[in-house]
Amino acid sequence: QVQLVESGGGLVQPGGSLRLSCAASGSIFNFIPMNWYRQAPGKERELVATITSGGRTNYADSVKARFIISRDNAKNTVYLQMNSLKPEDTAVYYCSARYQYVDYWGEGTLVTVSS
């Protein structure tokens, strides 16, 4: 069983930055890839960034060079540093992990980019 709890969302002006955190329960955290997804109003959920257990990262084209995913295995936490935020980044951001063929999701944290 994996439990995920996101935090760090909020209202930010265009061009600003936010850092999201996802705290995970369970000893298996260190051994599984972690993902950040987002879902904007009226749109499908999309994969934003992935980090493997070894620290390899991958990003959606829309966030490359602006977002950075990282993990602290000692704290069972994965982060998403979001820079140069745009209004189109407004969405609910979800942390996700797959373990033993089961997808686990947090409840999400809302990011609103607006002046």
Side-chain angles (χ1 to χ4, degrees):
Q1 187 91 14
V2 178
Q3 293 183 323
L4 304 170
V5 179
E6 303 97 336
S7 62
L11 173 64
V12 62
Q13 291 187 344
S17 298
L18 276 178
R19 188 176 82 156
L20 306 182
S21 300
C22 172
S25 66
S27 58
I28 53 92
F29 173 82
N30 292 358
F31 307 103
I32 60 176
M34 298 295 296
N35 311 296
W36 282 100
Y37 282 78
R38 68 185 180 186
Q39 187 165 20
K43 295 189 176 181
E44 293 186 354
R45 193 171 294 189
E46 64 170 343
L47 178 62
V48 175
T50 297
I51 186 166
T52 67
S53 57
R56 294 180 66 179
T57 60
N58 195 35
Y59 298 91
D61 287 343
S62 58
V63 307
K64 277 182 182 176
R66 299 189 299 122
F67 289 11
I68 301 171
I69 188 171
S70 61
R71 66 192 297 162
D72 185 336
N73 288 342
K75 296 182 178 179
N76 277 19
T77 301
V78 63
Y79 304 97
L80 186 68
Q81 176 67 43
M82 305 185 296
N83 302 317
S84 301
L85 283 161
K86 305 175 181 180
E88 52 263 43
D89 294 317
T90 295
V92 178
Y93 284 72
Y94 298 91
C95 180
S96 171
R98 170 169 287 194
Y99 177 60
Q100 293 187 335
Y101 308 105
V102 176
D103 289 321
Y104 295 91
W105 297 89
E107 294 193 351
T109 184
L110 176 63
V111 172
T112 302
V113 184
S114 175
S115 55

